[in-house]
Amino acid sequence: MKWLEVKLSDIAVINMGQSPPGNSYNEDGKGIPLFQGKAEFGDMHPTPVKWCSEPTRIAESGDILMSVRAPVGPTNIADQLCCIGRGLCAIRANKKLAVQKYLYFLFKYIEPSISRQGQGSTFQSINRSTLESINIPLPPVYEQSRIVKILDQADTLRRMRAEADVKGDRILPALFIKMFGDPAKNPMGWDIVLVEKLFSRERAGTKCGPFGSALKKHEYVDKGIPVWGIDNIKPNQFVESGSLFITPIKYEELKSYSVEPGDIIISRAGTVGRMCVARPQQSHSIISTNLIRLTLDKKGIFPEYFTSLLSYFPTSVNQLRASGDDGAYSFMNTTILKSLKIPLPPFDLQNEYTRRMAEIRRLNEKQIESQAKLNNIFQCLLYRAFSGELTAKWREAHIKELLVEMEEQAKLLKLETESNYKQLTL
């Protein structure tokens, strides 16, 4: 049965955001929450970080919030009365014609299409008239409700998986505190050591990436020797995919910038100070212009201990700096690295922390695989829902099977996560 197709303006009210006066912003919870863009979006509801006492454009609880400026398309749902800035719009369905959450799930499904309608040379944005003209497949309200019920079940299971990720994000800092104490207080009385004293004696302790003139854009090739960049550094985690490449001949010219397993690579642009331990699979690779390579004496300190300390507790480490400069890592260079002082626990204890950290990383990789399965099933359901294929016959044959699979994946992952994290932090 072919569904009716309407314009968004036929079934919903669109309220474009407008930023309130600058002097009405605060971070003290005074007034109502102010949301300005996608950066504040959580998994389903935005997280307040600012409030305003003189709201301009209001969104009501239950309104769909869509990002309309850099980027265009991502959506969330307001869970309370709030003010919306220019980066958002609020969409409220006519209840007689459309189920609000049906629109929410539909926007999730067609987000790439909405994003492509953004315009602008400096940044992409979308205006009211373009939003109003979005085509909406509109089954009867009872069918919308049935689709929402199915997708809600699947989305709830998908978000159970996200809870495991939150645990994973918290476990390593908690384990670090348990094993070494708060680095700002150093309750176990570890020796405080100048980082420069921990540099490798076999290679240069610090090395900034090659200047732009030494490695130009036209010298990159489709495959060859990896050149690690900012995108290869996640918080305290090295990611091999997504590197650039140079030829073996160019590598020979730049081999002083090479990376060996156990080297620490640090961003000095973009997310300044982000770092990780590099353990590349390929035998040869180098750092790019925007990175620093730090090589420590592996007989005295584990690099995983160092990156955990600076990634999870940058403010604490900054208090121990030899120089009196303010600001943790707003600008990262080799001089700052040399000036840091850090607590240095016994080598065997660092080794034990590194072993447990590796186990947690292994569990995280398993979680990522499970997440991919859950997301694939959810995307399958979205496709079926909005292509009109969630027919009664298809539902009977497949929906229950897919939801059971999602539930098993989510529950199994939750149990494994709790059990393994408990063992790893004993």
Side-chain angles (χ1 to χ4, degrees):
M1 180 179 178
K2 189 170 177 61
W3 291 343
L4 180 68
E5 194 166 276
V6 299
K7 302 296 184 186
L8 181 58
S9 58
D10 295 333
I11 59 168
V13 174
I14 301 171
N15 185 18
M16 303 299 289
Q18 180 179 334
S19 299
N23 59 7
S24 71
Y25 297 13
N26 72 85
E27 298 178 3
D28 305 321
K30 297 175 182 176
I32 66 172
L34 166 65
F35 299 121
Q36 296 174 294
K38 194 259 181 184
E40 296 145 340
F41 283 5
D43 194 52
M44 179 176 282
H45 304 295
T47 303
V49 292
K50 290 183 181 179
W51 288 258
C52 69
S53 54
E54 300 177 33
T56 45
R57 299 290 166 81
I58 299 292
E60 296 182 2
S61 178
D63 281 359
I64 297 168
L65 304 182
M66 180 182 289
S67 177
V68 295
R69 291 162 58 101
V72 171
T75 55
N76 239 216
I77 296 177
D79 59 352
Q80 57 188 308
L81 189 75
C82 57
C83 175
I84 54 172
R86 293 178 63 195
L88 298 175
C89 75
I91 300 171
R92 190 177 312 144
N94 179 333
K95 294 179 181 179
K96 294 181 180 179
L97 302 174
V99 176
Q100 187 81 342
K101 244 189 171 181
Y102 171 82
L103 289 182
Y104 168 73
F105 285 123
L106 174 63
F107 292 146
K108 288 285 187 186
Y109 177 62
I110 63 172
E111 181 181 322
S113 172
I114 296 173
S115 178
R116 286 193 294 270
Q117 296 183 63
Q119 296 182 345
S121 55
T122 307
F123 59 84
Q124 296 289 294
S125 64
I126 192 169
N127 58 32
R128 178 193 292 275
S129 62
T130 304
L131 287 170
E132 289 177 339
S133 65
I134 292 174
N135 290 323
I136 305 294
L138 196 70
V141 170
Y142 71 83
E143 182 63 18
Q144 293 178 45
S145 298
R146 186 154 42 187
I147 288 170
V148 166
K149 184 178 179 181
I150 293 168
L151 294 178
D152 251 340
Q153 284 180 267
D155 197 41
T156 298
L157 294 172
R158 184 184 63 81
R159 283 186 280 115
M160 279 177 65
R161 166 69 190 81
E163 291 174 11
D165 280 342
V166 173
K167 279 183 179 287
D169 291 340
R170 285 188 286 214
I171 193 66
L172 282 172
L175 177 62
F176 190 100
I177 288 284
K178 185 168 185 176
M179 295 184 69
F180 306 117
D182 182 347
K185 299 175 182 177
N186 192 19
M188 300 179 188
W190 311 125
D191 290 342
I192 302 297
V193 181
L194 191 67
V195 168
E196 188 175 18
K197 301 293 184 182
L198 299 170
F199 285 177
S200 170
R201 297 176 184 178
E202 299 172 0
R203 299 167 68 215
T206 58
K207 183 77 172 177
C208 288
F211 288 111
S213 57
L215 180 56
K216 298 177 181 177
K217 287 183 179 180
H218 73 269
E219 295 179 290
Y220 291 116
V221 293
D222 292 337
K223 59 182 180 178
I225 308 297
V227 179
W228 310 120
I230 293 173
D231 290 341
N232 298 108
I233 305 176
K234 301 301 179 187
N236 204 19
Q237 187 172 5
F238 178 61
V239 178
E240 287 206 64
S241 60
S243 72
L244 297 171
F245 299 96
I246 54 174
T247 64
I249 294 174
K250 189 64 183 179
Y251 169 76
E252 289 300 319
E253 292 180 27
L254 301 175
K255 65 190 308 181
S256 62
Y257 302 99
S258 64
V259 176
E260 294 183 3
D263 284 348
I264 296 167
I265 51 177
I266 306 168
S267 170
R268 61 189 181 117
T271 308
V272 178
R274 180 176 286 180
M275 65 185 69
C276 65
V277 180
R279 298 197 179 276
Q281 297 296 311
Q282 296 203 43
S283 56
H284 297 312
S285 62
I286 66 168
I287 54 173
S288 65
T289 302
N290 293 322
L291 299 185
I292 299 172
R293 185 195 70 206
L294 173 62
T295 306
L296 300 175
D297 179 3
K298 298 178 182 64
K299 295 179 181 178
I301 183 171
F302 273 83
E304 285 81 4
Y305 167 77
F306 183 87
T307 57
S308 292
L309 174 64
L310 270 72
S311 296
Y312 303 138
F313 310 100
T315 304
S316 299
V317 174
N318 190 55
Q319 293 173 7
L320 299 171
R321 279 176 57 183
S323 67
D325 298 339
D326 292 331
Y329 313 122
S330 58
F331 178 76
M332 175 59 75
N333 58 28
T334 55
T335 301
I336 287 177
L337 283 169
K338 291 177 181 179
S339 73
L340 296 175
K341 289 183 174 181
I342 63 170
L344 190 65
F347 194 71
D348 288 348
L349 193 61
Q350 295 179 47
N351 185 24
E352 176 62 17
Y353 172 78
T354 301
R355 184 190 68 77
R356 295 194 190 188
M357 181 179 177
E359 285 295 309
I360 291 169
R361 291 294 187 214
R362 180 193 61 76
L363 179 60
N364 285 347
E365 288 173 5
K366 192 172 183 180
Q367 290 177 340
I368 290 169
E369 290 177 10
S370 180
Q371 172 74 73
K373 289 180 181 178
L374 291 171
N375 283 340
N376 285 340
I377 296 171
F378 185 65
Q379 289 300 319
C380 174
L381 287 172
L382 283 176
Y383 171 77
R384 293 283 181 178
F386 299 115
S387 60
E389 294 184 27
L390 282 186
T391 61
K393 185 177 180 181
W394 195 91
R395 280 196 297 270
E396 290 172 7
H398 300 283
I399 292 294
K400 187 175 180 180
E401 179 183 340
L402 287 175
L403 290 176
V404 166
E405 184 179 349
M406 287 191 79
E407 187 168 11
E408 287 176 353
Q409 285 282 341
K411 285 183 177 178
L412 178 63
L413 182 69
K414 191 169 186 290
L415 288 171
E416 281 190 354
T417 300
E418 291 173 351
S419 173
N420 287 326
Y421 283 160
K422 187 174 181 180
Q423 291 178 29
L424 289 165
T425 54
L426 286 176

